[in-house]
Amino acid sequence: MDQSIQKKFDSIAPMISHTPMVEICYRYRGELRRIFAKAEYYNLTGSIKDRVAFHVLKKAYEQGEIHPGDTIVEATSGNTGISFSAMGRFLGHPVVIYMPDWMSAERKNLMLSYGAEVRLVSREEGGFLGSIEMTEELAKKGGVFLPRQFSNEDNTQTHYLTTGEEIVSQLARLGLVPDGVVAGVGTGGTVMGITRRLRDENPNAKGFPLEPLSSPTLSTGYKIGSHRIQGISDEFIPELLKLKELDQVISVDDGDALIMARMLSQQLGLGVGVSSGANFVGCVLAQNLLGGESIMTTTFADDNKKYLSTDYSDPQKMKEEYLSKDIQLVSAKAYR
């Protein structure tokens, strides 16, 4: 890698990864429990995807797959596009993002604010799968680098080397060994990478992929229904996700996820996104399977700022079947 490019990576590296671990104590039907969540909104652009953009681009430079002046082109539901927009512009690359047009306005505007060109794709034009096809078509013109987040193993490796490693190290300092992880599946890289790293420490650690209850793509194998948990369950089972390596698929109602995210914000001051609310509820379900004393981990992938124009800002009707009905948040404590 050219020394000037290496210096750029070195100069931005302190702003990515090494996020706080938050221990959240809660009661579920009166039983005191705790989960451990990585506060990923402390990354450069405010999401876990900054780790991926940094690692994928660094590896691409090391392997000669990207060159100064190349255009970075990616299909995204939001956070990955924001991260590549910021990292790409920091490194001096033009960035073009294809994104389904039903994602939140904040996502589009954040990419634009970083200097990316955003091309919105309607359902009639193919939605998410259409977005991916358009990136491949543009790449045929040359001078384009495709991160291919859904199939690039460097995505999974990112979470093995950084997110998973940090979880293991931070829990070890508390004298704890993780029993498992719950993570919503967008690309599958997060749950795959973390699970593999946790199993190095505890071979019996569980990896629970999470999907929306109303859009069970992982369970059915094809796109079905719709949901309001932006960033996961895009329209297909991603190539990176190896379900045979993982444990039970956990399904969470999007209304339950919205309520849980709002509870974390309003009761503990943890302003997290909707997928983080889903991950919390998923951890409760995992502890119902493994026992309330199990050490469950997850990620709070981003914060609430990208969701203020969505249903997140509106109180949701509590339903009898929601787990959040039986959850009382007690306290939160952060660890470096």
Side-chain angles (χ1 to χ4, degrees), residues 80-131:
T80 301
I82 294 166
S83 297
F84 275 108
S85 297
M87 276 297 302
R89 296 306 299 139
F90 178 78
L91 294 169
H93 293 276
V95 179
V96 177
I97 299 297
Y98 288 86
M99 183 173 74
D101 64 3
W102 57 86
M103 295 300 159
S104 71
E106 293 93 333
R107 284 164 147 73
K108 178 187 74 173
N109 290 331
L110 278 166
M111 293 176 212
L112 292 172
S113 76
Y114 284 117
E117 178 185 344
V118 180
R119 302 181 183 180
L120 299 179
V121 181
S122 68
R123 294 187 191 278
E124 292 72 26
E125 293 171 309
F128 213 101
L129 289 172
S131 297

Side-chain angles (χ1 to χ4, degrees), residues 1 9 35 40 91 160 182 236 258 280 286 303 307 311 314:
M1 185 192 304
F9 279 105
I35 70 161
E40 290 299 298
L91 294 169
Y160 178 87
V182 172
F236 53 93
L258 282 158
F280 189 100
D303 62 17
Y307 305 90
D311 288 352
D314 300 321

Side-chain angles (χ1 to χ4, degrees), residues 9 52-75 80 84 87-88 91 93-98 134-136 138-149 151-155:
F9 279 105
V52 176
F54 179 90
H55 186 74
V56 165
L57 289 174
K58 190 168 185 288
K59 285 289 292 294
Y61 261 107
E62 290 170 349
Q63 296 171 1
E65 297 172 353
I66 188 172
H67 306 281
D70 285 352
T71 300
I72 297 170
V73 181
E74 183 62 300
T80 301
F84 275 108
M87 276 297 302
L91 294 169
H93 293 276
V95 179
V96 177
I97 299 297
Y98 288 86
M134 290 175 189
T135 67
E136 298 288 346
L138 184 58
K140 292 177 182 178
K141 298 180 179 180
V144 167
F145 172 71
L146 299 179
R148 294 188 174 98
Q149 60 168 321
S151 59
N152 189 339
E153 284 292 340
D154 289 337
N155 178 347

Side-chain angles (χ1 to χ4, degrees), residues 160 164 168 178-181 191-209 242-248:
Y160 178 87
V168 168
D179 291 309
V181 59
V191 70
M192 293 304 305
I194 294 176
T195 299
R196 287 171 180 170
R197 180 62 188 91
L198 298 194
R199 285 176 177 165
D200 287 347
E201 207 70 19
N202 172 13
N204 296 317
K206 305 295 184 182
F208 295 107
K242 315 297 184 187
L243 286 172
K244 290 182 179 179
E245 287 187 35
L246 300 172
D247 296 283
Q248 178 177 327

